[in-house]
Amino acid sequence: MTQPLLQVSDLHKAYGAIQAVGGVSFEVYPGEIFGVIGPNGSGKTTLFNSMLGQITPDSGRIMLNGRDVSGLGPLALNRLGVGRTFQTLQVFGKMSVRDNLIVAAQEHQGNMWSRMFAPTDSGLGAKADALIDQFHIRHVADKRAGELSYGQQKLVDIAMAFMSEPDLVLLDEPCAGVNPSLVGGISQLLKELNQTRKGSFVVIEHNMDFVMDLCHRIMVMVEGKVMAIGTPAEIRANKQVLDAYLGN
Ligand SMILES: Nc1ncnc2c1ncn2[C@@H]1O[C@H](COP(=O)(O)OP(=O)(O)O)[C@@H](O)[C@H]1O
Ligand SMILES: [Mg+2]
């Protein structure tokens, strides 16, 4: 049997009396697109931030490629192949789209000053250009990122996560604030990236059509716990999930 790329075991995180994550376990396999859904306050973001090393869970274990990475910080995890996109945009408005991509990779390489100086290429330009073509943003590559529409900036934000060639990308609400007409395009793009780059994704998203169409498996969280994990068809047919979340 294939070794999971990501294995989260019995993760707990409390904020005072609130058990934000109360014993969550799941695996993500190589090449898998794994969705995380659940009502507001169900612990999705807390789970995400734990997997990214942004917060320290109270207990539980996180394994990446068979290696225990519990307690590692964001930069160490990034170097081990974990990329992310942010719910709020991280692009630098005054830099060109292409330079934003190059700088994102320089940060991955640990150059914390990279945003203060002009980007130096060192082979990253070719990587940026490949992504610019794959994301169909060639026509805006030399524009300042701040001049782009919100949806286009969102694409740049997603592209930035791929500059470090991650094995696992965590996407925090990639459709939030995006014009509904662009949602299908983002889904298509993520499917292509999944195919061509063989990466695994974990996606938090409230847009149910998007999640059901994109994800191979979906985990439903309610009140910090896992209510169900299954294929989109299984999740749609799960009575407990319908009553607690998908119904109405
Ligand atoms: N930094 C924090 N301090 C205190 N409570 C928090 C903090 N972060 C999250 N919580 C609480 O933990 C629970 C889960 O929150 P969150 O992980 O943001 O859920 P979701 O992303 O599913 O909406 C909520 O009750 C929330 O109010
Ligand atoms: Mg959240």
Side-chain angles (χ1 to χ4, degrees), residues 44-45 87 173:
K44 304 181 298 294
T45 297
Q87 198 175 337
E173 302 199 23

Side-chain angles (χ1 to χ4, degrees), residues 216-245:
H216 301 125
R217 286 190 307 143
I218 296 166
M219 173 166 80
V220 185
M221 287 183 69
V222 175
E223 292 177 2
K225 294 195 182 330
V226 178
M227 176 173 274
I229 298 179
T231 63
E234 287 165 349
I235 294 300
R236 266 206 201 94
N238 184 309
K239 177 145 187 352
Q240 212 190 350
V241 172
L242 281 172
D243 290 346
Y245 183 51

Side-chain angles (χ1 to χ4, degrees), residues 148-220:
L148 272 51
S149 72
Y150 183 86
Q152 282 178 322
Q153 290 190 45
K154 197 86 187 174
L155 289 180
V156 176
D157 196 51
I158 297 173
M160 282 163 68
F162 284 90
M163 279 298 287
S164 60
E165 300 184 8
D167 296 330
L168 175 69
V169 182
L170 309 184
L171 297 115
D172 199 352
E173 302 199 23
C175 301
V178 171
N179 187 307
S181 65
L182 294 176
V183 166
I186 292 181
S187 178
Q188 187 55 39
L189 182 60
L190 291 174
K191 285 179 190 173
E192 279 170 28
L193 289 162
N194 175 249
Q195 289 292 317
T196 57
R197 292 176 182 252
K198 310 283 175 226
S200 303
F201 306 153
V202 180
V203 189
I204 296 178
E205 180 51 59
H206 288 292
N207 184 323
M208 212 44 60
D209 292 338
F210 175 87
V211 169
M212 294 285 175
D213 173 61
L214 176 69
C215 298
H216 301 125
R217 286 190 307 143
I218 296 166
M219 173 166 80
V220 185

